[in-house]
Each structure stands twice: as structure tokens, then as C-alpha cells.
């Protein structure tokens, strides 16, 4: 983390500027204490092994970096100086605290609605709504003419 000397590097590694990161860190630290009743350093002092992540700052950086980089746990552990299972465990810990942080700050999007009317009320004051829809599996029709209607154009054309 100390090797990141420019805002461009910080943003590339975490998605946040130094000022944004520090603001999030204050909330993250509070959430960590609310969840565990101790700081990272206090919890780490109880361990017999030397921990890789020794502060809320390191845990938040690790979590944001893991999300931004999209590495496998083996590679994430390698670049972070831990094994894959510890990388997964630390990422999950960081994600749990981050989710608590964003929920406390009322920054999490609502993901479920009772019906379309409830969704419409929720977004009534928004100027832009972005949907990230998952691709759904579709049973491919046997009839070639009907198949063409569902053809994505990414593969060679059906004769």
C-alpha cells in the first residue's frame, strides 16, 4: 500500500482516491468494532501466528484490491503474502465488514421489491436507472426458422 504513490495508482488498485479511501476507512473501522467488539490489532494479538493484515486500513485495502483485481485466491494470496485459504478468509471478512459499513451509511442498493409498483416508487425520483441483468438459459428451439429469432450473432450463422 505504501508503494502506491499517485492517485492514479490508488484508483487503479482500489477504485478510490486517498481522500475517498480515508473517509470509507473511518466508517469501515467503526463497523469492524461494532461487529467484533475489538480492533483488528486486538483480535490479531490473540493469534499464535503472525498475521498478514494487522489493521483496518490493510483489511480495507486488501478487500477493495481483491474486488478490483479479480484474481483467483491463489494469485491474490501470492501478491498479498498469504496462502489461498487465508486470502479467501480475509476477503470474506473484509466483505462482511464492508457490507455492514455500506448498510450503516445507507449506501447499499435495494435488491428486492414486493412488486413492480414498489420498485416504481423506489426509483420515482431517480433520473437514471441501470439494470445489470443476468443472461438466462433458453432451451434452443428445434425449428431452424424459430432458432434464428434467438440467435445472438456471436457464432457462425445456422445454414
Amino acid at each position: 500500500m505504501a508503494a502506491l504513490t499517485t492517485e492514479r495508482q490508488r484508483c487503479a488498485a482500489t477504485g478510490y482516491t486517498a481522500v475517498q479511501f480515508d473517509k470509507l476507512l473511518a466508517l469501515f473501522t467503526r463497523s469492524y468494532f461494532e461487529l467484533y467488539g475489538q480492533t483488528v490489532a486486538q483480535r490479531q494479538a490473540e493469534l499464535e501466528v503472525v498475521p498478514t493484515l494487522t489493521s483496518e486500513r490493510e483489511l480495507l485495502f486488501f478487500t477493495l484490491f481483491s474486488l478490483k483485481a479479480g484474481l483467483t485466491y491463489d494469485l491474490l494470496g501470492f501478491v498479498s503474502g498469504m496462502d489461498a485459504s487465508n486470502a479467501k478468509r480475509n476477503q470474506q471478512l473484509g466483505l462482511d465488514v464492508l457490507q455492514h459499513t455500506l448498510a450503516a451509511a445507507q449506501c447499499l442498493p435495494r435488491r428486492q421489491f414486493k412488486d413492480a409498483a414498489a420498485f416504481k416508487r423506489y426509483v420515482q425520483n431517480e433520473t437514471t436507472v441501470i439494470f445489470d441483468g443476468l443472461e438466462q438459459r433458453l432451451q434452443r428451439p428445434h425449428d431452424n426458422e424459430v432458432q434464428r429469432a434467438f440467435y445472438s450473432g456471436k457464432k457462425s450463422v445456422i445454414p
Side-chain angles (χ1 to χ4, degrees):
M1 195 162 62
L4 301 176
T5 57
T6 67
E7 284 297 309
R8 182 182 174 109
Q9 290 172 333
R10 285 185 194 94
C11 286
T14 65
Y16 289 86
T17 65
V19 172
Q20 292 170 327
F21 183 88
D22 288 339
K23 286 180 182 179
L24 181 58
L25 178 61
L27 300 172
F28 186 84
T29 301
R30 186 174 333 139
S31 288
Y32 189 94
F33 192 82
E34 288 173 6
L35 287 171
Y36 299 103
Q38 296 176 309
T39 66
V40 169
Q42 290 168 334
R43 288 185 74 205
Q44 300 294 355
E46 300 169 0
L47 298 176
E48 294 180 11
V49 297
V50 177
T52 307
L53 304 174
T54 59
S55 68
E56 289 82 1
R57 176 178 291 278
E58 290 178 359
L59 179 60
L60 178 58
F61 178 83
F62 174 82
T63 304
L64 294 175
F65 176 77
S66 72
L67 293 171
K68 188 83 160 114
L71 301 173
T72 64
Y73 291 118
D74 289 314
L75 285 174
L76 182 60
F78 175 74
V79 299
S80 302
M82 60 184 83
D83 61 32
S85 61
N86 280 329
K88 182 176 182 1
R89 230 182 334 271
N90 284 321
Q91 184 193 48
Q92 188 58 56
L93 171 66
L95 289 173
D96 292 344
V97 177
L98 186 58
Q99 182 171 2
H100 184 272
T101 302
L102 296 175
Q106 297 181 340
C107 292
L108 284 179
R110 193 158 155 215
R111 297 181 184 273
Q112 295 182 348
F113 299 90
K114 181 179 177 186
D115 54 27
F119 176 74
K120 187 174 181 180
R121 284 190 303 276
Y122 183 74
V123 298
Q124 69 186 357
N125 295 326
E126 301 297 329
T127 57
T128 304
V129 178
I130 300 172
F131 284 93
D132 183 12
L134 294 173
E135 290 186 22
Q136 300 294 319
R137 288 184 179 206
L138 178 67
Q139 180 65 42
R140 206 168 170 193
H142 293 288
D143 183 336
N144 279 344
E145 289 304 313
V146 176
Q147 257 186 35
R148 290 178 196 274
F150 296 98
Y151 175 64
S152 70
K154 294 184 179 179
K155 295 182 181 177
S156 61
V157 180
I158 300 170

